[in-house]
């Protein structure tokens, strides 16, 4: 019986090639998109689930309460971990790990060549306990012995091969961090999996920290380092709620009284990849709402493809009515017929799934490139993927096959044999209309959403940040004091080049990823303010280089140490001063008198973080010892020569270090990398949705044109013009798309308003976006319908009438 | 074999009841060869469809081999009909995408007959109708007479007791028509009860009894 069904199905598919092609390609594209989305979601939800104890591991995060609300950090102060061990003896496992970014690693090449230098390296300082908590496998060495002594280091296989050629020969060799600290390689880790938020590379024993030249104060309960994380494994008798209730007491016991408002909070390892309030070492979080959005898009795309199927199948039902009639007369009952049609759908779906796998394999590398990940599609060890595909296959078959099967098998055999089944009877024109409306509704929601995301991205790129970011490069300078003493010499050398307009040395550029924040005492107050000031240490040329404008007072005098302060308008507002000029002369006191001086000027506000964040209060002053970057404004047209000139002179001044520069506008664009990736992803899916919808529309119109050949012929004989005919054939679809728009617009409006809430600086979208969406979809639909319609209208009426 | 008692079939147009069949009383004995005649629209095909259980009626009783058809449910009716009735159409109604062999085989599939048994039965039938050489051809590759031959073969494959034919020669030329009628006669001699609808006096003469229909009633 099944064989007979297969045979009939395959022959039927062959007879209606174009119909099958539309179905298969629409479904294949939909399923492929769904498959890729599944891979993305599977990848993003698998982070750090390979550690056997991942459910029990918690990270201690920090919670800061101030007048602006609550803010969070994934890091803590250094003494937290030792104190936890003492205060919570029931917690058996506590581990600290500290990530230090942007170090330079020098690898001796043992006489042969010059030493190899690698900059911008992340170095992880961690305790042996970390590796008994987290499962990273060792190629040689083990956690207990390899990381017990100070100045011992462990490399991952990839890094070991990069530094020493092959990992076996790395053991026992040495590397130098920032030209100061010598570490011995005492173990090699296998490369960490892709799905970890601990992208280890260079790992150094934790005991090294207290001995580093920078001399980190391990007893400081005030400073919080975002890279300093503490992990615990909570025992069964200490549930996380109970632990979180005890942490405020713990914080109060240890933190200085002034900071008693701030506390700690335990965050499950399973949440680390999703919660952007705390962040992670990978600097990439993937929120649950984003996962939901992607799932929804996947479901939408599959649904749109299924709608095509249903529409074409029911429209085509008339052609199948004779077969249904004959089979019924020959003794088939309804369920057998329904089963036969379902088999046919299953065959088409199967073909689509195979095609979808092919498409997905071809597209995966591009997706990896876009998202900057390395996902793989492997059917051998990813049984969930197979299961997913089977479920999708069955669902699609039922979703798209069931309704047409029920309709077709329900035909009365006598009417069916007399070919009296009309398109109207076969599954209701109104259902087909409703499905088309739904399809285009979804497509238009995606279009409107994409347009708004793109607009917001555009806004990010072009928004005025309050400072001049064009043609400015930032060049790193080494952190040691000898290098600092050479700053003025480098400035002098660089000034010789006429291509350079301005040079300024500073801690950071006006808008940068890393920031230095602190509270302070204002105007001789004994208590610290609630304000967390963003500290921008910079020489006096900074104002000129970035075009910062003053609203009151003057810039500070040149100097190497902190003597005078310039603040921004937001700071003045936060301090409760209405007229900026009134702030001049007031004293700022940082760290109990360590850095004290009067405010001498107020600059106009500029954005010191990404535009997701509100305007921050900024304090600026000179402080040569903390300068890390050179800000160089290049004259237009002189970029190429100037870049080479800067590199040459920099290398002459700092021969032991690696030269590195970046254009400021690129740095700023990087803030929005995730938004950028998402907007590209959304664009692709919106295009797919439109494509699949139009495919279905094309099929439907071709079919309707075929059905109405005679009508078109008669109308032409009666004197209808080509325009009349095209209008006749396309007016219904235009109406459907307009109805779809009326439904889609408010939904899209609601969703996108909500999405924009996350951004402190956001676009106001008006009617334009909606107008583009509706006219865009109408144009696309007309193009799709138009071809068939014009073809039908141009056909010779004599011919079309003769066929009857 | 079967008996119709006071069969009415009607539809409503506006407030008027239009009768398709009016008070039909008919009993058919095993081995009869009946020809139903009458002008277009007199209800010949409707009567045939009712007898063939393809169509329902609004009033009356229908007994088929001791079963009361009017009391049976759809499913039971379908079992009864699959087992005992074969159909031949004016327009042949072969399945275009199946070969001759497969077309003949299809009724057996719906009766859940095993594959090996099916092969034997179809082979017999092909032999009997001398169309073995055409078994792999599709309907479109056959002449009208050959198509109707396949149609008859298909109707007979499940050994029906009753063969219903709706103008079986209507689309054929006279020679082809004669052949089919000869075939019917043979079948009737072999014991198959036949009811045919026809316009042609000549074809009607092959039968043992003629029933004349006018406006849904049997003329006596």
């Amino acid at each position: 019986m099944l064989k007979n069904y297969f045979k009939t199905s395959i022959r039927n598919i062959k007879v209606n090639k174009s119909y099958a092609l539309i179905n298969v390609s629409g479904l294949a594209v939909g399923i492929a998109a769904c498959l890729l989305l599944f891979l993305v979601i599977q990848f993003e939800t698998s982070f750090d689930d390979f550690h056997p104890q991942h459910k029990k591991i918690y990270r201690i995060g920090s919670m800061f309460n101030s007048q602006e609300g609550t803010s969070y950090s994934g890091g803590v102060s250094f003494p937290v971990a030792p104190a936890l061990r003492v205060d919570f003896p029931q917690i058996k496992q506590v581990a600290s790990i500290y990530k230090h970014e942007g170090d330079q690693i020098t690898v001796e090449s043992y006489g042969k060549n010059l030493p190899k230098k690698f900059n911008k390296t992340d170095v992880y300082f961690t305790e042996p306990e970390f590796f008994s908590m987290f499962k990273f496998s060792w190629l040689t060495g083990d956690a207990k012995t390899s990381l017990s002594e100070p100045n011992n280091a462990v490399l991952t296989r990839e890094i070991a091969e990069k530094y020493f050629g092959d990992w076996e020969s790395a053991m026992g060799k040495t590397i130098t961090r920032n030209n100061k600290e010598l570490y011995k390689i005492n173990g090699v880790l296998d490369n960490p999996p892709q799905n970890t938020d601990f992208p280890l590379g260079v790992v150094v024993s934790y005991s090294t920290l207290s001995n580093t030249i920078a001399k980190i104060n391990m007893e400081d309960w005030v400073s919080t380092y975002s890279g300093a994380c503490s992990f615990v494994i909570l025992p069964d008798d200490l549930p996380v709620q109970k632990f979180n209730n005890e942490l405020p007491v713990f914080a109060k016991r240890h933190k200085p009284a002034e900071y008693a408002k701030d506390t700690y909070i335990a965050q499950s390892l399973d949440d680390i990849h999703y919660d952007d309030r705390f962040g992670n070492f990978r600097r990439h979080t993937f929120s649950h709402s984003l996962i939901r959005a992607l799932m929804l898009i996947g479901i939408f795309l599959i649904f749109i493809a299924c709608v095509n199927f249903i529409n074409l199948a029911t429209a085509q039902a008339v052609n199948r009515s004779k077969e249904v009639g004959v089979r019924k007369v020959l003794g088939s009952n309804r369920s057998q017929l329904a089963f036969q049609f379902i088999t046919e759908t299953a065959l088409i779906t199967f073909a689509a799934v195979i095609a979808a796998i092919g498409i997905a394999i071809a597209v995966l590398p591009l997706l990896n490139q876009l998202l900057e990940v390395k996902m793989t599609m492997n059917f051998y060890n990813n049984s969930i993927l197979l299961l997913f595909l089977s479920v999708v296959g069955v669902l699609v078959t039922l979703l798209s096959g069931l309704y047409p099967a029920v309709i077709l098998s329900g035909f009365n055999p006598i009417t069916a044999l007399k070919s009296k089944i009309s398109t109207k009877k076969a599954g209701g024109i109104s259902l087909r209309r409703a499905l088309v409306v739904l399809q285009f509704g979804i497509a238009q929601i995606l279009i409107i959403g994409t347009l708004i995301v793109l607009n917001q991205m555009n806004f990010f790129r072009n928004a005025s940040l309050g400072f001049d970011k064009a043609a400015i490069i930032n060049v790193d300078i080494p952190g040691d004091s000898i290098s600092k003493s050479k700053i003025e010499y480098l400035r002098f050398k660089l000034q010789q080049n006429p291509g350079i307009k301005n040079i300024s040395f500073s801690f950071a550029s006006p808008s940068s990823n890393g920031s230095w924040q602190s509270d302070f005492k204002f105007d001789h107050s004994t208590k610290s303010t609630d304000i967390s000031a963003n500290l921008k240490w910079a020489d006096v040329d900074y104002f000129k280089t970035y075009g910062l404008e003053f609203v009151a007072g003057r810039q500070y005098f040149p100097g190497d140490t902190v003597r005078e302060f310039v603040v921004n308008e937001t700071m003045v507002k936060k301090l409760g001063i209405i007229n900026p000029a009134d702030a001049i002369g007031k004293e700022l006191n940082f760290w109990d008198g360590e850095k004290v001086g009067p405010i001498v000027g107020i600059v106009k506000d500029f954005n010191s973080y990404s535009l997701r964040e509100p305007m921050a209060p900024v304090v600026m002053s000179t402080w040569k010892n903390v300068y890390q970057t050179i800000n160089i404004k290049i004259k237009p047209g002189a970029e190429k020569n100037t870049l080479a000139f800067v590199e040459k002179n920099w290398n002459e001044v700092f021969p032991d270090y690696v030269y590195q520069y970046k254009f400021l506008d690129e740095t700023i664009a990087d803030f929005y990398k995730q938004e950028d990736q998402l907007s590209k992803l959304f664009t692709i899916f919106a295009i797919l949705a439109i494509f699949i919808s139009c495919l279905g529309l094309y099929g439907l119109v071709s079919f309707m044109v075929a059905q109405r050949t005679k009508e078109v012929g008669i109308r032409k004989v009666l004197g209808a013009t080509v325009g009349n005919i095209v209008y006749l054939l396309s007016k219904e679809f235009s109406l459907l798309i307009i109805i779809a728009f009326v439904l889609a617009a408010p939904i899209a409006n609601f969703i996108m308003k909500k999405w924009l809430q996350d951004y402190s600086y956001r676009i106001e979208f008006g009617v334009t976006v909606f107008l583009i969406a509706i006219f865009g979809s109408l144009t696309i639909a007309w193009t799709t319908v138009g071809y068939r319609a014009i073809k039908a209208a141009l056909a010779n009426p004599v011919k079309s009438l003769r066929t009857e | 074999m079967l008996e119709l008692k006071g069969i009415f079939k009607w539809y409503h147009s506006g407030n008027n009841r239009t009768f398709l069949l009016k008070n039909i009383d008919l009993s058919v004995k095993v081995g009869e060869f009946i020809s139903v005649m009458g002008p277009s629209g007199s209800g010949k095909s409707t009567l045939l469809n009712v007898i063939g259980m393809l169509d329902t009626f609004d009033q009356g009783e229908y007994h088929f081999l001791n079963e009361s058809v009017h009391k049976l449910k759809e499913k039971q009716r379908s079992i009864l009909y699959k087992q005992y009735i074969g159909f031949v159409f004016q327009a042949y109604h072969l399945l275009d995408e199946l070969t001759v062999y497969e077309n003949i085989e299809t009724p057996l599939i719906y009766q859940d007959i095993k594959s090996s048994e099916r092969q034997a039965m179809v082979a017999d039938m092909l032999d009997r109708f001398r169309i073995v050489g055409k078994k792999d051809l599709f309907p479109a590759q056959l002449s009208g007479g050959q198509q109707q031959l396949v149609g008859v073969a298909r109707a007979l494959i499940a050994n029906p007791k009753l063969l219903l034919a709706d103008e079986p020669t209507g689309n054929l030329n006279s020679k082809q028509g004669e052949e089919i009628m000869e075939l019917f006669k043979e079948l009737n001699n072999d014991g198959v009860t036949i009811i045919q609808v026809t316009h042609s006096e000549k074809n009607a003469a092959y039968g043992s009894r003629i029933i004349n229909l006018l406006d849904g009633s049997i003329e006596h």
Side-chain angles (χ1 to χ4, degrees):
Chain A
M1 171 116 48
L2 216 61
K3 200 178 130 206
N4 185 278
Y5 289 168
F6 271 127
K7 230 182 308 189
T8 333
S9 301
I10 287 173
R11 288 187 194 148
N12 254 316
I13 291 168
K14 269 190 197 155
V15 170
N16 301 300
K17 268 195 217 88
S18 55
Y19 160 77
L21 194 71
I22 288 176
N23 270 334
V24 169
S25 46
L27 273 180
V29 171
I31 294 173
C34 220
L35 182 59
L36 290 172
L37 283 172
F38 174 80
L39 285 177
V40 171
I41 292 172
Q42 195 189 32
F43 177 73
E44 296 288 352
T45 53
S46 74
F47 268 69
D48 287 299
D49 65 356
F50 57 89
H51 309 292
Q53 305 193 78
H54 69 97
K55 284 197 162 65
K56 288 183 181 172
I57 301 177
Y58 288 85
R59 178 171 70 176
I60 313 297
S62 300
M63 225 168 116
F64 308 102
N65 297 304
S66 70
Q67 59 179 45
E68 289 124 59
T70 311
S71 61
Y72 299 86
S73 167
V76 287
S77 308
F78 280 104
V80 165
L84 282 172
R85 286 189 180 106
V86 175
D87 292 11
F88 294 93
Q90 67 270 48
I91 300 179
K92 293 287 179 284
Q93 281 180 286
V94 179
S96 304
I97 180 164
Y98 171 52
K99 176 193 183 188
H100 194 266
E101 291 179 25
D103 288 335
Q104 177 175 321
I105 300 292
T106 312
V107 180
E108 273 301 330
S109 51
Y110 298 93
K112 277 174 259 166
N113 300 303
L114 284 171
K116 287 190 274 184
K117 289 179 275 185
F118 301 92
N119 70 344
K120 294 272 170 200
T121 309
D122 297 336
V123 176
Y124 292 86
F125 296 88
T126 191
E127 299 172 303
E129 286 88 342
F130 177 80
F131 288 97
S132 50
M133 240 186 236
F134 294 86
K135 188 188 153 246
F136 292 102
S137 29
W138 293 76
L139 292 175
T140 176
D142 62 78
K144 278 211 179 67
T145 51
S146 298
L147 289 171
S148 53
E149 299 290 316
N151 297 319
N152 277 350
V154 166
L155 303 178
T156 58
R157 180 185 183 140
E158 185 192 345
I159 297 291
E161 282 167 355
K162 189 163 128 195
Y163 288 180
F164 299 103
D166 60 297
W167 66 267
E168 283 95 343
S169 61
M171 284 295 283
K173 301 260 173 67
T174 56
I175 56 174
T176 314
R177 172 169 166 251
N178 294 340
N179 288 333
K180 285 178 294 194
E181 294 155 32
L182 206 64
Y183 303 144
K184 189 174 140 225
I185 309 299
N186 209 12
V188 179
L189 285 164
D190 203 355
N191 290 333
Q194 284 293 319
N195 56 341
T196 179
D197 283 322
F198 301 90
L200 303 178
V202 180
V203 183
V204 179
S205 60
Y206 201 67
S207 48
T208 313
L209 266 186
S210 38
N211 297 319
T212 53
I213 314 266
K215 278 267 189 301
I216 288 175
N217 181 1
M218 303 300 278
E219 304 302 323
D220 175 8
W221 277 94
V222 175
S223 308
T224 300
Y225 293 81
S226 59
C229 295
S230 289
F231 290 90
V232 295
I233 288 190
L234 288 184
D236 294 336
D237 58 349
L238 183 60
V240 63
Q241 293 89 343
K242 195 174 163 217
F243 184 51
N244 271 335
N245 288 339
E246 288 175 24
L247 279 174
V249 186
F250 169 82
K252 211 163 250 165
R253 185 155 60 231
H254 295 285
K255 279 188 175 269
E258 277 179 75
Y259 300 95
K261 284 188 307 271
D262 303 337
T263 180
Y264 299 111
I265 181 166
Q267 180 199 23
S268 164
L269 175 65
D270 289 347
D271 287 338
I272 285 180
H273 193 62
Y274 310 112
D275 198 335
D276 65 353
R277 296 175 305 172
F278 293 92
N280 56 44
F281 286 155
R282 189 177 277 277
R283 283 188 180 279
H284 163 75
T285 54
F286 208 84
S287 68
H288 285 294
S289 57
L290 189 54
I291 291 175
R292 277 194 295 273
L294 293 184
M295 275 182 186
L296 207 62
I297 291 178
I299 293 170
F300 276 178
L301 286 175
I302 282 281
F303 178 78
I304 290 180
C306 288
V307 164
N308 279 357
F309 204 112
I310 297 172
N311 277 344
L312 287 177
T314 50
Q316 230 218 353
V318 188
N319 296 351
R320 303 290 296 267
S321 66
K322 182 191 149 194
E323 184 189 343
V324 173
V326 173
R327 281 188 184 272
K328 280 204 161 177
V329 168
L330 294 183
S332 168
N333 59 37
R334 190 170 178 178
S335 55
Q336 283 169 319
L337 268 173
F339 187 72
Q340 183 196 332
F341 288 116
I342 292 273
T343 313
E344 208 171 303
T345 315
L347 269 179
I348 289 188
T349 309
F350 183 72
V353 168
I354 299 295
I357 292 172
I359 296 174
I361 289 173
V363 174
L364 192 60
L366 300 174
L367 187 66
N368 275 335
Q369 208 179 343
L370 173 66
L371 298 179
E372 294 178 355
V373 290
K374 282 183 199 146
M375 294 182 295
T376 53
M377 189 159 61
N378 191 335
F379 290 99
Y380 299 111
N381 57 17
N382 196 344
S383 51
I384 301 174
L385 182 64
L386 273 180
L387 185 73
F388 170 78
L389 273 180
S390 327
V391 169
V392 165
V394 171
L395 267 178
V396 166
T397 305
L398 291 182
L399 202 62
S400 41
L402 210 53
Y403 180 74
V406 166
I407 292 296
L408 280 166
S409 64
F411 286 162
N412 176 302
I414 297 168
T415 359
L417 282 177
K418 285 184 186 152
S419 307
K420 276 189 182 160
I421 304 277
S422 66
T423 332
K424 276 195 183 120
K425 268 189 194 160
I429 271 191
S430 55
L431 176 100
R432 231 157 19 238
R433 284 192 184 128
L435 288 175
V436 169
V437 166
L438 214 58
Q439 211 176 21
F440 272 86
I442 290 170
Q444 288 185 72
I445 290 176
L446 284 174
I447 294 178
I448 294 170
T450 306
L451 285 174
I452 290 170
V453 173
L454 287 177
N455 266 346
Q456 177 75 11
M457 285 307 300
N458 214 19
F459 169 72
F460 282 152
R461 259 181 237 118
N462 301 326
S464 163
L465 299 172
F467 60 88
D468 182 5
K469 62 172 180 176
I472 287 178
I473 59 166
N474 293 119
V475 182
D476 293 347
I477 46 176
D480 61 301
S481 51
I482 300 166
S483 300
K484 293 274 156 66
S485 67
K486 295 181 186 166
I487 283 179
E488 288 309 318
Y489 173 54
L490 179 62
R491 188 200 298 267
F492 170 76
K493 289 186 78 160
L494 292 179
Q495 274 166 348
Q496 307 311 309
N497 189 317
I500 295 178
K501 211 168 160 193
N502 301 106
I503 304 164
S504 162
F505 287 82
S506 69
F507 169 70
S509 58
S511 199
S512 66
N513 246 327
S515 69
W516 185 344
Q517 296 168 51
S518 174
D519 58 2
F520 55 92
K521 289 172 181 157
F522 176 63
D523 200 15
H524 305 287
S525 160
T526 51
K527 265 191 74 190
S528 286
T529 56
D530 231 357
I531 304 163
S532 176
N534 187 351
L535 306 179
K536 295 277 178 196
W537 312 108
D539 65 16
V540 71
D541 293 325
Y542 200 74
F543 300 107
K544 208 164 50 195
T545 309
Y546 287 109
L548 299 180
E549 289 170 34
F550 279 81
V551 291
R554 55 166 174 87
Q555 56 190 46
Y556 38 68
F557 289 119
D560 291 343
T561 55
V562 179
R563 283 183 304 195
E564 296 171 330
F565 290 106
V566 165
V567 299
N568 69 350
E569 292 170 304
T570 302
M571 176 57 96
V572 171
K573 255 177 255 154
K574 294 235 163 175
L575 288 169
I577 299 165
I578 296 152
N579 183 4
D582 294 344
I584 290 170
K586 296 269 171 21
E587 189 196 75
L588 298 183
N589 176 344
F590 282 88
W591 313 306
D592 294 327
E594 205 180 307
K595 303 289 171 196
V596 186
I599 296 173
V600 296
I602 288 96
V603 284
K604 266 194 177 164
D605 274 338
F606 58 90
N607 287 94
S608 48
Y609 300 116
S610 85
L611 292 174
R612 255 167 267 146
E613 321 286 339
M615 196 66 79
V618 172
V619 172
M620 303 173 69
S621 185
T622 48
W623 189 0
K624 187 178 166 186
N625 278 347
V626 298
Y627 292 165
Q628 293 180 339
T629 183
I630 325 174
N631 312 274
I632 301 172
K633 179 146 181 98
I634 301 170
K635 280 185 188 150
E639 286 86 357
K640 207 176 152 209
N641 291 336
T642 313
L643 285 177
F645 176 82
V646 172
E647 178 167 6
K648 183 170 148 278
N649 282 280
W650 194 96
N651 280 327
E652 278 169 22
V653 175
F654 305 118
D656 292 336
Y657 292 90
V658 185
Y659 174 79
Q660 178 115 14
Y661 80 96
K662 194 159 187 183
F663 275 98
L664 181 61
D665 38 14
E666 283 172 25
T667 310
I668 291 172
D670 277 353
F671 290 170
Y672 311 111
K673 203 153 103 190
Q674 192 158 4
E675 278 87 355
D676 196 38
Q677 290 172 346
L678 278 180
S679 66
K680 282 183 185 140
L681 212 58
F682 280 133
T683 313
I684 293 169
F685 287 123
I687 291 172
L688 283 184
I690 279 286
F691 169 74
I692 301 175
S693 304
C694 284
L695 209 58
L697 207 55
Y698 181 79
L700 213 50
V701 169
S702 320
F703 187 80
M704 285 182 51
V705 166
Q707 288 274 301
R708 295 169 81 168
T709 312
K710 191 179 165 192
E711 181 192 339
V712 170
I714 295 172
R715 281 178 188 272
K716 278 195 83 173
V717 171
L718 296 178
T721 62
V722 173
N724 293 146
I725 302 290
V726 172
Y727 171 75
L728 174 80
L729 292 171
S730 51
K731 73 168 178 217
E732 184 185 329
F733 290 107
S734 311
L735 193 68
L736 292 183
I737 289 170
I738 290 167
I739 294 172
F741 173 76
V742 170
L743 296 174
I747 299 173
N749 183 43
F750 174 77
I751 296 174
M752 294 322 287
K753 280 252 161 68
K754 226 174 146 200
W755 179 75
L756 284 172
Q757 292 299 317
D758 287 350
Y759 299 92
S760 295
Y761 294 86
R762 50 182 178 254
I763 50 159
E764 289 293 328
F765 55 89
V767 214
T768 336
V769 175
F770 294 98
L771 288 180
I772 295 174
I774 179 67
F775 285 112
S777 19
L778 277 177
T779 312
I780 295 170
W782 280 333
T783 319
T784 316
V785 175
Y787 170 73
R788 289 310 301 219
I790 290 172
K791 222 172 114 181
L794 289 177
N796 185 347
V798 177
K799 259 187 196 166
S800 58
L801 288 178
R802 197 191 291 149
T803 53
E804 276 301 303
Chain B
M1 169 136 219
L2 66 88
E3 188 171 24
L4 303 178
K5 273 191 205 158
I7 295 286
F8 283 87
K9 184 172 175 64
W10 63 72
Y11 66 88
H12 290 278
S13 58
N15 278 330
N16 298 324
R17 202 176 257 192
T18 308
F19 288 92
L20 295 171
L21 296 177
K22 216 188 281 175
N23 199 18
I24 302 277
D25 289 311
L26 173 67
S27 91
V28 178
K29 293 189 185 68
V30 175
E32 275 196 282
F33 185 168
I34 295 177
S35 301
V36 182
M37 297 191 70
S40 294
S42 59
K44 302 184 299 284
S45 295
T46 310
L47 179 63
L48 205 68
N49 288 336
V50 165
I51 293 173
M53 300 174 205
L54 291 178
D55 216 345
T56 54
F57 46 90
D58 296 299
Q59 195 184 311
E61 289 180 17
Y62 176 14
H63 301 281
F64 184 88
L65 292 173
N66 304 325
E67 297 266 9
S68 302
V69 177
H70 53 279
K71 287 181 190 156
L72 294 181
K73 284 190 182 132
E74 165 93 41
K75 201 154 193 179
Q76 294 161 305
R77 227 167 25 223
S78 152
I79 293 169
L80 194 64
Y81 143 91
K82 261 200 263 187
Q83 212 173 342
Y84 297 110
I85 300 177
F87 251 100
V88 177
F89 302 95
Q90 176 178 5
Y92 333 125
H93 284 329
L94 300 179
L95 289 168
D96 295 331
E97 51 293 318
L98 296 185
T99 62
V100 166
Y101 183 98
E102 288 157 357
N103 259 295
I104 297 175
E105 184 190 23
T106 306
L108 300 177
I109 289 172
Y110 288 125
Q111 292 187 24
D112 292 328
I113 290 168
K114 266 187 247 135
S115 164
S116 52
E117 224 171 305
R118 285 203 310 257
Q119 265 177 24
M121 291 168 81
V122 176
D124 276 354
M125 194 56 77
L126 290 169
D127 272 346
R128 185 168 158 199
F129 284 76
R130 290 182 289 280
I131 44 175
V132 180
K134 305 216 157 48
K135 73 178 167 65
D136 291 326
L137 296 182
F138 286 92
Q141 295 166 298
L142 301 176
S143 74
Q146 288 165 335
Q147 287 194 48
Q148 192 58 298
L149 213 54
V150 175
V152 176
R154 188 178 64 179
L156 292 175
I157 187 73
N159 292 319
K161 296 271 175 294
L162 175 65
L163 185 67
L164 300 175
D166 195 349
E167 298 195 44
T169 61
N171 283 12
L172 303 176
N173 62 34
S174 57
K175 188 169 174 283
Q176 290 168 331
E178 251 171 59
E179 277 170 19
I180 292 292
M181 287 325 293
E182 284 298 332
L183 180 62
F184 273 23
K185 185 137 188 135
E186 266 173 56
L187 290 172
N188 185 239
N189 291 339
D190 292 349
V192 180
T193 312
I194 297 176
I195 303 177
Q196 69 163 345
V197 167
T198 181
H199 273 128
S200 129
E201 295 282 350
K202 196 176 150 209
N203 285 350
Y206 283 90
S208 53
R209 176 148 70 111
I210 293 176
I211 292 169
N212 282 304
L213 274 183
L214 187 66
D215 295 335
S217 309
I218 295 178
E219 287 204 315
H220 297 284

